[in-house]
Amino acid sequence: MADPNPNPGAFLLARHGSDDRFGAAGVADRSAGTPMAPDLKFRSGSVTKTFTATVVLQLVAEHRLRLDDTVQSLLPDQVRTDNALSGAPITVRQLLNHTSGLYDYIDGLLPYFRRLDQYWPRDQLISVGLAQPRYFPAPGTRFRYSNTSYLLLDLIVERITDRDLRTNLERRIFAPLGLRDTSYPLAQTAIDGAHVHGYADVSLLLPNAPDPSRFDVTAFSPSAAGASGALVTTAADIARFYRTLLQGRLLPPGMLRQMLTDTVPTAGSAPPAVAYGLGVYVYATGCGRAYGHGGSALGYLTYALNSRDGRDQLVAHTNWNSFADSGIDEDFWAAFQEGYCGRPGQIPSPSNSKD
């Protein structure tokens, strides 16, 4: 007899040159019992940041923007005497590499939460981030992850191109790369087509919900993440994006080099990340440095690792993530490391974070 309440699942997609390997366990949909499969869509969380950063760096390469331009000069109407932009100038570079010091709006959303499908206007989210004091007053002095920075980058892209970020992503990345299963939904809470359902412990958000420790949160509004984490995609599309990026087909060589090497140490973030560039993490693995990003969304946890030339890749995903210290990451990370390097690694498992 089938388990009426199966556990959520996980998968690994490993690519070494032209050799693809896929492994999965558990289910993509607990109610239907649908097994995990490589072509299912899912919410990728902060993997979105590399996509957003690529658009920004394309604008820099086109001489429409400079990394040392300040937010205050680009977005003067966002500056008020009573918000965080009234302090020392913050540059585009500091938004990209999380050294702005701006408060992370995600940490301030709970008091405003009403329901899973609640639509969050970008301006409201930015206001939450700017209403609190900076984590540190001098931008550029240290790393502190902040989703607020990427919402400001979204607004900068829109001002410079006179097109929203979705249009820029579609024209500059999705269409040229043939990422047919990747989209940037904001108002739409349903995921089109076959997809992974996300599950989370919603005891704090919805204390009276049935089965609150494994609650289906697939309909959680992506507007809460925006440019920092709203992408819906597949493992194959993520791998294609990073391989194309790292092989120099989205950015000029000098700009790509700067993206990967203009880094700051990530002290206090989840190991094995050792540095953060311009929209990418640098990871220490048992087989050398890797580049990519993690993505944490309510109900979904994703990691993407890539060699410098994009030849060796791994996309790992699990559809249970609660933003709480649940202990789920240890086994997941061990399998992730083994899939990327082809052997068990000697690195510590990551703590939960908003990466």
Side-chain angles (χ1 to χ4, degrees):
M1 180 177 178
D3 183 353
N5 295 294
N7 287 323
F11 70 71
L12 299 172
L13 171 66
R15 286 185 168 175
H16 300 283
S18 59
D19 178 29
D20 285 9
R21 291 177 293 150
F22 181 83
V27 298
D29 182 344
R30 294 181 70 208
S31 62
T34 307
M36 279 289 188
D39 56 348
L40 295 177
K41 297 179 182 179
F42 55 86
R43 301 196 189 281
S44 68
S46 286
V47 173
T48 305
K49 288 184 173 68
T50 310
F51 286 74
T52 300
T54 299
V55 171
V56 171
L57 294 178
Q58 286 178 341
L59 294 174
V60 173
E62 294 164 9
H63 305 290
R64 303 171 70 179
L65 181 66
R66 295 178 303 173
L67 288 173
D68 293 327
D69 284 342
T70 67
V71 181
Q72 288 85 344
S73 65
L74 294 166
L75 304 173
D77 54 322
Q78 296 292 316
V79 182
R80 299 197 312 266
T81 58
D82 61 346
N83 75 18
L85 291 183
S86 64
I90 294 169
T91 66
V92 170
R93 184 194 315 274
Q94 291 159 355
L95 295 180
L96 286 166
N97 67 12
H98 295 292
T99 62
S100 70
L102 292 174
Y103 176 79
D104 190 343
Y105 74 89
I106 293 290
D107 291 339
L109 281 192
L110 189 58
Y112 302 96
F113 178 81
R114 298 294 179 270
R115 60 185 191 277
L116 285 177
D117 63 352
Q118 178 176 346
Y119 179 78
W120 300 88
R122 179 184 59 192
D123 289 348
Q124 179 185 8
L125 301 178
I126 290 175
S127 294
V128 172
L130 298 184
Q132 298 296 323
R134 299 183 188 186
Y135 293 122
F136 45 89
T141 56
R142 62 188 178 93
F143 176 87
R144 179 58 161 85
Y145 199 90
S146 175
N147 289 285
T148 305
S149 292
Y150 273 72
L151 295 194
L152 290 171
L153 288 169
D154 176 4
L155 189 52
I156 288 169
V157 168
E158 187 173 291
R159 296 285 176 88
I160 290 175
T161 66
D162 201 29
R163 296 187 177 96
D164 62 18
L165 181 62
R166 176 189 289 108
T167 302
N168 277 283
L169 289 168
E170 290 172 349
R171 294 184 179 184
R172 293 170 174 271
I173 300 177
F174 301 169
L177 272 59
L179 305 184
R180 298 179 181 85
D181 293 318
T182 300
S183 61
Y184 180 71
L186 290 178
Q188 180 178 332
T189 57
I191 300 177
D192 293 331
H195 61 274
V196 174
H197 284 239
Y199 300 93
D201 185 339
V202 295
S203 301
L204 290 177
L205 298 177
L206 303 169
N208 298 319
D211 194 8
S213 67
R214 292 290 188 274
F215 191 78
D216 190 327
V217 292
T218 309
F220 190 81
S221 176
S223 63
S228 69
L231 275 192
V232 170
T233 187
T234 62
D237 275 8
I238 288 177
R240 184 182 302 175
F241 163 70
Y242 276 108
R243 179 169 286 183
T244 305
L245 173 67
L246 292 167
Q247 291 180 347
R249 292 169 51 195
L250 289 173
L251 295 172
M255 196 82 265
L256 175 61
R257 189 180 313 111
Q258 195 163 5
M259 183 187 210
L260 303 179
T261 62
D262 187 356
T263 61
V264 293
T266 55
S269 68
V274 294
Y276 198 92
L278 305 180
V280 292
Y281 270 109
V282 182
Y283 295 99
T285 77
C287 50
R289 288 199 165 194
Y291 303 84
H293 218 289
S296 184
L298 190 64
Y300 301 89
L301 180 64
T302 307
Y303 286 101
L305 260 68
N306 309 267
S307 60
R308 174 62 180 83
D309 61 4
R311 179 176 173 81
D312 297 329
Q313 300 183 283
L314 190 101
V315 180
H317 178 78
T318 180
N319 60 338
W320 191 87
N321 183 25
S322 66
F323 287 113
D325 185 5
S326 63
I328 192 172
D329 282 347
E330 186 171 352
D331 291 340
F332 182 58
W333 192 259
F336 182 91
Q337 166 76 357
E338 185 173 357
Y340 179 70
C341 292
R343 62 184 184 276
Q346 303 299 318
I347 57 175
S349 61
S351 60
N352 285 302
S353 73
K354 293 185 292 299
D355 62 343

